[in-house]
Amino acid sequence: QCPVCAATLITEGEYLLCRNDECPAQVAGSIRRWVQKIGVLHFGASLIEAMIEGGLITTCADLYRVKAEDAENLTRDGRRVGGAATRALEELHSKKTLDLHTVIGSLGIPLIGRSMAKVIVDAGYDSTDKLLSASISSLAEIPSMGETKAEAFVKGIQERKDLIADLLTVLTLKEKSVGNMTGKSLCLTGFRDPALEAAFEAAGGTIKGSVGRGLTYLCSKDPTGTTGKLAKARELGTEVVSKDDILRLIAG
């Protein structure tokens, strides 16, 4: 049984999982994942748990309706939350305009992260209505998708359709980016650079988390290196480039 909500656990591979959507740990985890995926700072686990225990939130959409004064008066481990809540909420509201693939890829649908969500959106499923009506067979035909991911997506998005509708009442969706990186993909290796990834996506490109067939560019601090990722990229015919190369390509 789940130690938090006492629901019966299920076995998935080598893991025991709680699938009770109302489990406090599941609720906290889904909200924490949301703020991390969309790049919001200052929302630690303790603040999220305080908001849940204080009855202010049950979903990530609820975060956008929390008033700063209500959050500041919450207590956690006997201490008042105070200004930390205001800073977190200000950061949250500064990032209320999101790409459709970021919204869908941050919901915790199994096997569907932001990069895979962008693949789906770029394949023509570029509205919530199209995403919700997509069939397993049509999604499975998308390159790099396959039937397993298609089944997970259809099941996952249907389970979250009410949450998506609620999020769209508090968020603004960006218009689809089109630029000289449209149709191209990028993976970084050996370093992280959120600003570079954002610029590549703003130019219409897709960010990937790993090297695979169809990847356009692998960006490395040292393109002449001999790491496993670099070797695999060369084997697959992926162009290995530096950060400066990518910036020049984005600039056209």
Side-chain angles (χ1 to χ4, degrees):
Q1 289 183 317
C2 173
V4 177
C5 69
T8 301
L9 299 177
I10 65 167
T11 302
E12 189 170 294
E14 61 187 20
Y15 300 103
L16 284 173
L17 302 177
C18 173
R19 290 301 192 196
N20 175 16
D21 292 338
E22 296 181 0
C23 173
Q26 291 280 25
V27 172
S30 66
I31 295 171
R32 178 67 173 155
R33 178 179 56 246
W34 172 264
V35 294
Q36 288 177 332
K37 292 290 187 181
I38 67 171
V40 171
L41 305 177
H42 309 307
F43 263 101
S46 61
L47 176 56
I48 291 172
E49 289 169 8
M51 287 183 172
I52 293 171
E53 291 173 6
L56 297 183
I57 60 174
T58 58
T59 70
C60 53
D62 291 337
L63 285 173
Y64 298 88
R65 303 185 182 98
V66 174
K67 295 179 180 178
E69 57 268 28
D70 292 335
E72 287 179 356
N73 289 323
L74 294 171
T75 57
R76 183 68 177 164
D77 297 326
R79 299 175 61 184
R80 184 172 172 270
V81 171
T86 298
R87 289 192 296 275
L89 290 170
E90 287 175 349
E91 171 80 0
L92 178 76
H93 284 277
S94 73
K95 297 182 177 180
K96 288 177 67 173
T97 301
L98 300 172
D99 296 301
L100 177 59
H101 73 269
T102 298
V103 174
I104 301 302
S106 302
L107 295 175
I109 298 174
L111 306 180
I112 308 296
R114 288 168 296 171
S115 61
M116 185 53 64
K118 191 170 192 305
V119 169
I120 298 169
V121 171
D122 288 347
Y125 299 90
D126 51 5
S127 71
T128 53
D129 287 341
K130 290 178 182 178
L131 291 169
L132 286 166
S133 61
S135 67
I136 293 173
S137 59
S138 61
L139 290 171
E141 294 176 357
I142 299 173
S144 77
M145 190 73 176
E147 189 167 341
T148 299
K149 289 179 182 176
E151 288 177 353
F153 178 80
V154 170
K155 181 175 185 292
I157 199 167
Q158 290 299 325
E159 290 173 345
R160 293 161 176 79
K161 62 182 180 181
D162 291 340
L163 174 58
I164 293 169
D166 198 14
L167 280 168
L168 294 182
T169 67
V170 293
L171 297 174
T172 300
L173 289 180
K174 288 182 185 177
E175 293 187 10
K176 187 178 178 181
S177 298
V178 177
N180 54 4
M181 292 296 102
T182 298
K184 301 181 188 251
S185 55
L186 170 71
C187 176
L188 305 187
T189 182
F191 72 106
R192 296 184 63 192
D193 193 330
L196 180 63
E197 292 182 338
F200 191 82
E201 288 189 324
T206 300
I207 299 299
K208 300 280 191 179
S210 61
V211 176
R213 293 191 183 281
L215 178 67
T216 312
Y217 305 113
L218 177 64
C219 183
S220 171
K221 280 189 173 181
D222 179 14
T224 64
T226 57
T227 65
K229 269 191 174 181
L230 291 169
K232 184 176 180 181
R234 295 186 184 108
E235 180 184 337
L236 294 172
T238 297
E239 188 174 349
V240 179
V241 296
S242 68
K243 177 179 176 178
D244 287 342
D245 292 331
I246 291 297
L247 290 173
R248 280 193 290 271
L249 288 165
I250 291 171

